[in-house]
Amino acid sequence: MKILRAYTLALLVFLWMPLSVLLFKGMSLVAFEKLLNSSDVLSSFRNSLVLAAATAILTTVLGLVTAFALPLLSNRMRGWVIGSLLLPLVLPEIAFGIAYLVWFRILGMPLGWTTLLGAHFAFCFCYVVLVLKSSVSELDHSLSDAARDLGANAVSVFRHAVLPQLWPGLIAGAMMAFSLSLDDFLITFFVKGIDQLTLPIKLYSMMRLRLGVEVYALSVILFGISVISVVITQLWFIRSQKQKSRSS
């Protein structure tokens, strides 16, 4: 038992020590001052946020439609579709980056924000559909039937009976797509244009010359956003569980 505790403690130290050093260096006024004065880093960060948000919205909406369409397919067709959705989980990301680049070249599309959004959507879409597929399969259809019996139309049924049940899956899928798009480097490197600069690409170019303290401050901001998102999600999940237990 003591050996297992020591192993767990050593593993946690190994995982958290680099991040702790980074956060310690970033929590200084000098680092944040240089970050505010670094227009290139702020611009690339803004580009990454906008791209990730657009990817999250697009994949969540179309992923929800796909999740509802899957049960309507035949067993053979549904197996083929789900199998294709599992490809990003087993194939290396560099293969997708090269494939998207070749495909866009064949289509004659100039590399830019359109190709970036299309590639990020294609990569994140699979993850979102797999998450929403489970949420759709666990829907309580008796609530929808009760709403129809009370005279609700299709829009009202979806809004008041179906959508509240899907919120956990929608939030989880959107957060996953946002995170995957925000820190993606390989696919972005292959399909971006000359003028498209995202945060991972900017950090890579900075590492070849120098790694300034403004990167430490940016890491603190990203870490804070992640922690706040996880805390809000957990609190919302606990609240939803309590409401379900009360209703049951």
Side-chain angles (χ1 to χ4, degrees):
M1 185 64 67
K2 292 183 178 180
I3 296 177
L4 291 177
R5 290 179 179 176
Y7 166 78
T8 303
L9 181 61
L11 182 61
L12 292 176
V13 171
F14 175 78
L15 293 175
W16 283 95
M17 186 59 69
L19 183 59
S20 301
V21 173
L22 187 65
L23 295 177
F24 177 76
K25 289 185 176 181
M27 291 181 179
S28 66
L29 295 178
V30 176
F32 278 94
E33 182 180 358
K34 287 193 174 184
L35 176 62
L36 294 177
N37 294 328
S38 179
S39 59
D40 292 341
V41 175
L42 292 177
S43 177
S44 62
F45 183 44
R46 182 176 61 254
N47 293 338
S48 292
L49 289 178
V50 173
L51 179 62
T55 302
I57 294 173
L58 190 60
T59 53
T60 303
V61 173
L62 296 182
L64 181 61
V65 175
T66 306
F68 275 108
L70 284 176
L72 304 179
L73 301 176
S74 62
N75 292 333
R76 184 176 181 181
M77 180 61 69
R78 184 165 58 251
W80 278 102
V81 173
I82 294 176
S84 65
L85 293 175
L86 294 174
L87 282 178
L89 302 179
V90 296
L91 293 180
E93 189 175 345
I94 190 173
F96 284 94
I98 298 174
Y100 296 147
L101 175 61
V102 173
W103 177 246
F104 291 140
R105 290 298 188 186
I106 292 175
L107 295 179
M109 296 179 60
L111 299 180
W113 291 115
T114 302
T115 56
L116 264 176
L117 180 60
H120 280 220
F121 165 77
F123 179 70
C124 300
F125 176 76
C126 306
Y127 293 90
V128 176
V129 172
L130 294 176
V131 171
L132 294 178
K133 173 179 170 294
S134 301
S135 299
V136 171
S137 63
E138 296 176 357
L139 285 174
D140 186 2
H141 296 285
S142 61
L143 297 177
S144 301
D145 296 336
R148 293 190 188 94
D149 293 339
L150 294 174
N153 55 26
V155 176
S156 297
V157 170
F158 179 80
R159 179 182 177 184
H160 298 287
V162 178
L163 190 59
Q165 302 181 66
L166 294 175
W167 274 122
L170 290 173
I171 294 177
M175 291 183 62
M176 181 177 294
F178 185 88
S179 300
L180 290 173
S181 175
L182 183 65
D183 68 350
D184 180 80
F185 173 79
L186 282 175
I187 294 178
T188 303
F189 182 80
F190 281 102
V191 301
K192 79 176 189 69
I194 299 177
D195 298 329
Q196 285 70 47
L197 185 65
T198 61
L199 183 61
I201 300 297
K202 177 60 180 177
L203 293 180
Y204 174 73
S205 63
M206 291 178 62
M207 288 176 60
R208 301 177 62 181
L209 300 175
R210 66 173 186 87
L211 195 61
V213 293
E214 63 268 20
V215 177
Y216 304 148
L218 185 61
S219 300
V220 173
I221 295 175
L222 291 173
F223 180 78
I225 293 174
S226 301
V227 171
I228 293 174
S229 301
V230 171
V231 171
I232 293 176
T233 303
Q234 289 297 320
L235 292 176
W236 184 85
F237 179 76
I238 293 173
R239 181 182 177 184
S240 300
Q241 293 295 109
K242 289 181 178 180
Q243 290 180 349
K244 286 183 180 180
S245 61
R246 291 175 182 175
S247 60
S248 61

